[in-house]
Amino acid sequence: MKYLKTLCLSSLLCCTLLSVAPVSAAELLANTITATGTASMEVAPDTAYVNFNVLGRADTAELAANVSANRVAHIKQALLEAGVGGEAIETLNYYVNPVYGEKSKINGYQASHYLKVKIEDITKVGEYIDKLTASGADSINNVEFGVSDQELLQRQLLGKALEDAKLQAEVVALAAGRELGKLNGARINNNGGYSRNYNSVMLKAAGSSNSTVIETKGIKVNASLEASFELK
């Protein structure tokens, strides 16, 4: 009799647990809709980055490094006199390599110093490029334009991206005879904005009598996210 009571209680407990079991993952997915929303705007650039290269050639690696360092110091001084502070100049890469001649014989060494300078007055980009070439830069690799407050702009666009995702989800829900419910969650896509680049082919050669002119255009800033909504 005691065994029978225990069995009945166990059966009752199992039935109770089954009656309050959570909704399955498949049921949850069937009542959820996910949409991708995007938003963008075009803004005028306010910052430019000029990438350039300075070489140093000598019989030894040490002398090649010294030649390159002296040339870089001269360029920095010229930029400083033009109004660009030292904190605006950044080293991107630096190499010291042997230079080979016939029969793989080392004919000397070359130090390659790749740098980037940030220019906050984009009306003077051409002027600074001319300063770089006149003061010893061996090549201007590219010019990149951007916006200083791009992250702020993207945050502002996220609200519009969410509205876009909600609108798309509402269209699908209505077509299915359902109603859109609350937002379950969202994932931000870090696709950022677009900078505008100009490569060295578009720049004037050193020694040209004409000043370099770089024309700017608007830059597109994007925001994108995936939002999941409840379906009623």
Side-chain angles (χ1 to χ4, degrees), residues 47-50 84-85 87-90 116-120 148:
T47 307
Y49 298 90
V50 179
V84 179
E87 69 281 356
I89 304 172
E90 175 187 351
K116 176 172 70 174
V117 57
K118 178 181 179 181
I119 301 172
E120 296 181 345
S148 57

Side-chain angles (χ1 to χ4, degrees), residues 50 52 75 79 117 127-137 140:
V50 179
F52 62 98
I75 290 172
L79 290 174
V117 57
E127 177 185 330
Y128 288 130
I129 288 174
D130 293 341
K131 286 280 185 183
L132 287 170
T133 55
S135 58
I140 306 296

Side-chain angles (χ1 to χ4, degrees), residues 146-163:
V147 287
S148 57
D149 56 351
Q150 180 171 304
E151 290 184 5
L152 175 61
L153 294 174
Q154 285 178 278
R155 287 197 294 269
Q156 293 173 352
L157 289 172
L158 282 174
K160 294 182 178 180
L162 180 58
E163 291 176 6

Side-chain angles (χ1 to χ4, degrees), residues 24-33 178 231:
S24 68
E27 289 174 311
L28 284 173
L29 288 174
N31 292 298
T32 301
I33 183 170
R178 306 286 293 274
L231 276 179

